[in-house]
Amino acid sequence: MTHGARRRAVIGAAVLGSAAVLSAGSAGTAQARPSAPHRRLPVPTVIAHRGASGYRPEHTLGSYQLALDMGAHVIEQDLVPTKDGHLVCRHENDITGTTDVADRPEFASRKTTKTVDGTSLTGWFTEDFTLAELKTLRAKERIPATRQENTLYDGRWTVPTFEEVLRWAEKEGRRRGRPVWLYVETKHPTYFRKLGLPLEEPLARLLRRYGRHGADSPTFLQSFEPTSMERMAKLVSTPRVVLLWTPDDRPWDFRETGDPRTVADLITPEGLKGIASYAQGIGPLLDLVIPKDKDGKLGRTTTLVRDAHAAKLLVHPYTLRNENSFLPADFRRGTDPAAFGDVFGAYEKYFATGIDGIFTDHPDTALLAAADARAEGTRTR
Ligand code: G3P
Ligand code: CA
């Protein structure tokens, strides 16, 4: 199974047995006093994953607005292109599950099967729609069985363009008297470049247009494909983060170019030093920080946070969600997969590792947990 398919299948539930371990008590590496704005964010930094996607359909202006209103420090966007090259906010180019496209007879003939990063997918894809066409669709909840309450908002919002988000952030920033931080992911960059729809150049143009191209801009860029971040480093100075999945995963750009390295190679001290030559942080799967045991319970903390900090890289793992179905087995409560578990207990464990921030679908909960961590002095800054 490929990276994308497996990630979709488990949503962060992988059990890692091979990572190096460190006793949990020795975490919380001291760091030099930071200076760049991205190093002065509150720690642990709360990153609203696809907005406040635990409460609103993901990647909608409603989801981003709620996250900002809740006080999230940073708001995440995933980017894919339309047929006419506009960047829009969707977690994947297959929009079957997050829009009403399947109910739209005028687009029935656009349903197709394609292979994206080695995975065969059947559905409707952003690259087959002009922006004008895509804008006629309405966003809906991805996981209605788990998040029934969010279906209340099905149809309320359209798929936002990244430029709309930049304008929204500008307006909200003016209103609040402080910048709105964004965390922007290039999705399937090699796949789209081969289609003649590269992501990086239009993204760089938009970042320049909205003044987010400097090293001090309130923005992180991120990708599972390291070469996408290397490319962005040549176009803009905006801080960059390399996303990391399971140790055996080989990033899709590496596969395409014959680079044999896997995530296991990238998270060695030498691999992290290499990342630090073009990025300011890593975004690892939570299981790379604390692997789960065979029962799905949290195991022993790895050396990743310590090693990344030694390479002067920030560590922003993904993704902690409140529902039982996404929590480690030892933090579930009851048997209803959609019910909230003991997520504060899980935050305590993850924050004690010394991570600099965390992606979450529930920023309000994360903010309380982050305040607890600071109050208890388990954080150094
Ligand atoms: O970008 C951090 C996190 O969002 C990575 O996972 O699959 O939700 O984009 P994904
Ligand atoms: Ca993402």
Side-chain angles (χ1 to χ4, degrees):
M1 205 188 284
T2 65
H3 163 117
R6 279 190 293 164
R7 269 198 312 125
R8 275 185 293 277
V10 300
I11 316 184
V15 176
L16 310 178
S18 61
V21 292
L22 170 74
S23 80
S26 61
T29 315
Q31 295 170 70
R33 178 58 61 188
S35 56
H38 64 272
R39 293 187 177 274
R40 291 201 302 266
L41 281 163
V43 173
T45 306
V46 172
I47 306 156
H49 183 246
R50 313 180 196 176
S53 57
Y55 306 107
R56 298 286 185 273
E58 68 185 41
H59 288 314
T60 58
L61 286 178
S63 181
Y64 300 152
Q65 186 69 55
L66 182 59
L68 189 62
D69 292 345
M70 284 177 163
H73 303 129
V74 189
I75 317 242
E76 194 211 19
Q77 291 78 45
D78 296 312
L79 299 185
V80 292
T82 62
K83 187 178 183 175
D84 43 355
H86 295 275
L87 300 180
V88 295
C89 303
R90 286 290 92 185
H91 179 257
E92 58 272 292
N93 50 330
D94 179 353
I95 48 174
T96 313
T98 60
T99 71
D100 62 354
V101 66
D103 303 324
R104 304 291 289 270
E106 67 273 34
F107 296 127
S109 63
R110 306 273 175 100
K111 188 175 185 183
T112 186
T113 298
K114 33 179 106 187
T115 302
V116 181
D117 295 358
T119 303
S120 177
L121 299 168
T122 298
W124 288 263
F125 298 83
T126 58
E127 65 266 30
D128 297 331
F129 290 76
T130 64
L131 179 60
E133 289 171 334
L134 197 78
K135 272 293 185 184
T136 69
L137 304 177
R138 311 302 295 187
K140 68 174 192 181
E141 173 54 42
R142 170 193 294 277
I143 45 173
T146 304
R147 294 177 176 165
Q148 190 277 333
E149 290 179 4
N150 297 4
T151 64
L152 177 65
Y153 307 99
D154 282 359
R156 177 166 283 266
W157 294 289
T158 60
V159 173
T161 64
F162 183 50
E163 184 155 23
E164 284 177 307
V165 174
L166 288 165
R167 281 197 215 115
W168 165 80
E170 214 171 54
K171 188 185 79 182
E172 288 292 334
R174 270 196 305 272
R175 193 161 76 84
R176 290 159 196 263
R178 60 178 170 78
V180 172
W181 280 78
L182 304 177
Y183 213 121
V184 187
E185 182 178 349
T186 56
K187 283 287 184 194
H188 312 297
T190 297
Y191 167 83
F192 285 121
R193 185 165 290 275
K194 283 175 91 170
L195 285 185
L197 291 169
L199 298 172
E200 290 87 353
E201 290 81 0
L203 173 56
R205 280 196 293 277
L206 283 170
L207 293 170
R208 287 188 175 282
R209 193 176 304 158
Y210 288 85
R212 289 180 182 258
H213 57 290
D216 58 351
S217 68
T219 313
F220 291 96
L221 306 175
Q222 48 164 339
S223 186
F224 281 102
E225 297 188 21
T227 54
S228 179
M229 290 300 95
E230 289 188 87
R231 197 183 290 275
M232 288 307 303
K234 293 184 183 134
L235 296 170
V236 291
S237 302
T238 314
R240 298 163 296 277
V241 170
V242 172
L243 299 173
L244 301 162
W245 198 50
T246 54
D248 61 339
D249 180 54
R250 192 172 162 209
W252 189 256
D253 50 337
F254 286 10
R255 291 177 190 232
E256 290 272 339
T257 58
D259 186 328
R261 289 176 299 163
T262 63
V263 165
D265 299 309
L266 293 175
I267 61 174
T268 62
E270 198 55 33
L272 292 166
K273 221 168 108 186
I275 290 176
S277 68
Y278 59 89
Q280 288 67 41
I282 56 169
L285 183 69
L286 278 166
D287 291 2
L288 289 175
V289 176
I290 311 183
K292 298 191 192 82
D293 65 18
K294 62 178 175 36
D295 299 319
K297 297 180 178 172
L298 287 189
R300 298 179 69 199
T301 303
T302 70
T303 60
L304 181 60
V305 177
R306 187 185 71 187
D307 295 344
H309 284 169
K312 301 204 178 340
L313 290 166
L314 293 172
V315 183
H316 292 160
Y318 63 93
T319 301
L320 198 52
R321 302 169 168 101
N322 287 3
E323 294 99 345
N324 277 328
S325 55
F326 301 114
L327 285 170
D330 37 347
F331 294 94
R332 294 178 196 147
R333 279 183 177 161
T335 53
D336 178 359
F340 286 3
D342 176 22
V343 73
F344 286 115
Y347 273 114
E348 200 178 328
K349 287 275 187 194
Y350 288 121
F351 285 160
T353 66
I355 57 174
D356 301 283
I358 195 160
F359 285 84
T360 176
D361 292 4
H362 301 90
D364 53 345
T365 314
L367 285 161
L368 286 172
D372 288 348
R374 281 191 293 271
E376 286 159 20
T378 55
R379 299 305 316 218
T380 53
R381 62 181 175 92

